[in-house]
Amino acid sequence: MTKELLDIVIKESMQYLESCPDKKIGISESYEELCRNIDQKLTDNGESAESAIRSLISGARKALIHSQNSRYYGFVIGGALPVAVAADWLTSVWDQNGQVYESSPAASIFEETVESWILEILDLPKESSIGFVTGAQMANFVGLSLARNSVLQKASWDVDEQGLQNAPHINVICSECCHGTIHSGVRMMGLGKKNIKMVSADCEGRMNKMELQLLLEKCKGPVIVSLQAGNVNTGAFDDFESIIKMAHEHGAWVHVDGAFGLWARASGKHKHLTSGIEKADSWSVDAHKWLNVPYDSGMIIVRNSEEHLKFKTSRCAYAGDPDDSKRDGSALTPENSRRSRAFVLYATLKALGRNGVEALVENSCSMAKLFEVQLQTIPGVKILNDVVLNQVLFCINPEGYADPDTFNKSVSDRLQAKGDCWIGTTSWEGKVALRISVSHYSTDARDVEQTIRSIKSAIKKELQQHHSILKEV
Ligand SMILES: *Cc1c(COP(=O)(O)O)cnc(C)c1O
């Protein structure tokens, strides 16, 4: 029975992956139609596993976004490498609870190995520890929480014992261009969004150093500074070298949100962008984005592993007595029971090797550069960012068109409706911009060319429609 079931899944998976390059990437049906495809009856006695799986497949089919297609450029998504998918299947089959050594020695020892590999690839302090979490949101939450505990400890306040009531005021500083998950992290750790001190950013989204310096001089009490490696729109990096020095002189804990940008350290050509980052106190990074493993997989890396280990010290009685020589990975994360994410990371890094990770990163960056060059040949297109990494931000200002925001939005809608590539919009400096994130492992020059053709055609159609409406008026 199990075999028959898994055979269905293998067949469906192969069909899916083989057809993905030719599929329309986005969705054609309305919400109501998508819901109608799902058999929503919950029965008393259930049905065969096979028919349940077939229901799942038929219900999902039309509602899937095909981000496994190499011309999907939305968010910062990335595909899923075959080796990672295979290891992910095994992770489910083995069903290991990665909580403590006793619940899965395998999870524990693979976490240890992956921890040392990641520190080596990202060239971060060897003494650091890594917590394997769902993604950069949780990584930012853990990093900022440890920052809070540490800066309050220095002010003779033990958060674990005393909580936050009547605790000294903490100054949380980040840039106006930080990711929304920093704000959520601050809210979840009980410091309140209103208490975030925002420093302005330059045209690439980098923190304004002078303003930070002035702010630090005014701050009384404990300070946390949150920096960014890889702005989600521009791919830009804060100036770590000088900012971290400045922040540490004021006794601050420095956290870096490097959800995708931290991977620049794996590339000889791009590592310089992160210069000085290794002096920070904690770093967040995702694997499900640029390393191209399936959702979900992120990491929180903390220089002071002793402080990290205190993140969650309580251990369930049934887990037995702690043995300090064995890794209890859940102590480093907010979860108790956990998926064993290290299996996928192990197999992926083993398959790619140091050079494979470097090639993955450099390919995305050179395709982004190719986009920059090609886009500039289209009349009216303006590149809005300095293309330093894998992100390209641009807008179209057609001559004689009064409302560029609507135009850019319509071009994106058109591209998504046609579906041979997927490009979304964002708001940049108060205007609608189009954004391309090259994060799929197999995006190549042919994809770029095809995408450029699609963009040109969408612009042409939009202009034609506009002119015909004008004529009617
Ligand atoms: C994507 C992203 C996050 C959030 O990551 P999740 O994996 O979605 O939790 C945080 N910061 C930056 C810069 C990002 O790009």
Side-chain angles (χ1 to χ4, degrees):
M1 184 56 224
T2 304
K3 180 172 182 312
E4 282 153 23
L5 204 54
L6 293 183
D7 279 344
I8 297 174
V9 173
I10 288 177
K11 202 163 145 233
E12 171 66 20
S13 302
M14 287 314 299
Q15 269 175 7
Y16 181 77
L17 291 173
E18 278 163 13
S19 63
C20 220
D22 306 313
K23 274 192 200 307
K24 178 172 181 291
I25 296 175
I27 308 292
S28 311
E29 282 77 11
S30 67
Y31 164 79
E32 288 74 19
E33 284 166 327
L34 294 179
C35 291
R36 264 201 297 280
N37 293 332
I38 301 184
D39 180 356
Q40 292 178 330
K41 286 186 302 294
L42 174 66
T43 63
D44 285 335
N45 300 321
E47 56 195 274
S48 73
E50 184 182 326
S51 103
I53 287 295
R54 292 205 187 281
S55 259
L56 170 66
I57 293 170
S58 61
R61 199 168 266 152
K62 291 195 166 143
L64 294 171
I65 289 276
H66 305 302
S67 48
Q68 284 273 48
N69 182 307
S70 53
R71 288 181 307 283
Y72 180 87
Y73 309 108
F75 301 76
V76 183
I77 294 279
L81 285 157
V83 62
V85 173
D88 200 52
W89 280 5
L90 284 173
T91 306
S92 291
V93 169
W94 291 336
D95 191 26
Q96 299 290 286
N97 181 349
Q99 188 182 148
V100 290
Y101 182 83
E102 289 75 5
S103 63
S104 173
S108 177
I109 60 178
F110 276 97
E111 280 194 1
E112 249 165 20
T113 299
V114 171
E115 181 179 71
S116 69
W117 287 359
I118 291 284
L119 293 176
E120 184 187 330
I121 291 173
L122 300 178
D123 192 18
L124 292 174
K126 285 205 171 41
E127 70 271 20
S128 311
S129 50
I130 301 187
F132 296 89
V133 290
T134 47
Q137 168 69 86
M138 268 302 122
N140 284 333
F141 169 69
V142 175
L144 293 167
S145 302
L146 287 167
R148 174 201 62 194
N149 297 0
S150 173
V151 296
L152 283 181
Q153 194 70 53
K154 282 195 213 154
S156 310
W157 189 273
D158 182 344
V159 179
D160 287 338
E161 287 302 321
Q162 305 174 81
L164 285 174
Q165 306 198 47
N166 304 319
H169 178 82
I170 303 178
N171 302 282
V172 186
I173 302 177
C174 63
S175 106
E176 60 174 339
C177 281
C178 75
H179 196 268
T181 53
I182 297 294
H183 293 245
S184 317
V186 172
R187 278 198 287 126
M188 290 192 291
M189 63 199 249
L191 292 185
K193 220 166 73 174
K194 233 177 79 184
N195 292 315
I196 298 177
K197 294 192 162 65
M198 217 89 81
V199 176
S200 70
D202 70 6
C203 58
E204 297 292 327
R206 292 172 297 219
M207 185 183 273
N208 181 328
K209 285 181 280 183
M210 294 298 292
E211 197 177 314
L212 174 68
Q213 179 69 44
L214 292 175
L215 182 58
L216 284 169
E217 279 161 17
K218 273 197 289 186
C219 281
K220 290 189 187 66
V223 180
I224 298 171
V225 176
S226 180
L227 300 179
Q228 185 164 256
N231 174 281
V232 79
N233 285 320
T234 65
F237 295 75
D238 284 329
D239 177 355
F240 303 110
E241 201 77 68
S242 58
I243 295 183
I244 294 177
K245 188 161 176 282
M246 224 185 262
H248 279 164
E249 276 165 10
H250 285 81
W253 174 294
V254 180
H255 173 73
V256 180
D257 175 8
F260 61 97
L262 204 58
W263 291 105
R265 287 182 75 75
S267 150
K269 286 189 194 141
H270 299 87
K271 193 175 177 187
H272 67 96
L273 295 165
T274 67
S275 172
I277 207 173
E278 67 282 358
K279 300 191 183 97
D281 301 290
S282 56
W283 306 263
S284 298
V285 66
D286 268 324
H288 54 217
K289 288 179 176 170
W290 216 353
L291 191 61
N292 279 256
V293 308
Y295 286 90
D296 47 24
S297 185
M299 289 166 266
I300 173 66
I301 309 173
V302 181
R303 173 191 296 278
N304 186 332
S305 55
E306 267 174 48
E307 289 194 42
H308 194 178
L309 266 170
K310 279 189 272 175
F311 181 72
K312 203 175 79 247
T313 47
S314 50
R315 192 180 154 102
C316 303
Y318 50 77
D321 293 329
D323 172 352
D324 288 345
S325 67
K326 311 266 172 51
R327 180 186 172 91
D328 290 347
S330 286
L332 310 169
T333 75
E335 292 92 15
N336 190 53
S337 295
R338 265 177 334 127
R339 184 171 182 80
S340 301
R341 299 189 182 90
F343 296 147
V344 171
L345 294 169
Y346 173 84
T348 305
L349 295 174
K350 187 101 180 118
L352 291 175
R354 293 183 196 89
N355 295 341
V357 179
E358 176 168 41
L360 175 65
V361 170
E362 292 190 350
N363 175 65
S364 301
C365 296
S366 43
M367 289 310 117
K369 273 285 175 201
L370 189 57
F371 264 120
E372 181 187 25
V373 172
Q374 297 277 323
L375 283 168
Q376 278 167 329
T377 66
I378 306 177
V381 167
K382 187 169 172 225
I383 306 288
L384 301 173
N385 68 324
D386 189 6
V387 181
V388 292
L389 204 67
N390 62 331
Q391 305 291 120
V392 186
L393 198 59
F394 66 104
C395 68
I396 311 152
N397 289 308
E399 225 170 291
Y401 203 96
D403 180 6
D405 278 2
T406 307
F407 188 86
N408 282 282
K409 182 82 186 64
S410 307
V411 168
S412 161
D413 289 346
R414 242 176 226 286
L415 288 167
Q416 290 179 20
K418 180 133 186 293
D420 56 12
C421 66
W422 202 103
I423 293 175
T425 59
T426 187
S427 165
W428 190 247
E429 300 193 319
K431 296 203 175 70
V432 173
L434 294 148
R435 66 187 281 289
I436 289 178
S437 173
V438 188
S439 6
H440 192 283
Y441 64 92
S442 72
T443 305
D444 63 15
R446 280 205 319 262
D447 289 316
V448 176
E449 272 166 38
Q450 186 175 336
T451 305
I452 292 290
R453 278 198 300 277
S454 303
I455 295 173
K456 282 181 178 164
S457 148
I459 294 176
K460 198 168 143 195
K461 295 219 169 93
E462 192 54 35
L463 283 172
Q464 278 166 353
Q465 188 188 339
H466 179 66
H467 291 310
S468 67
I469 292 173
L470 281 185
K471 262 186 216 144
E472 279 169 29
V473 175

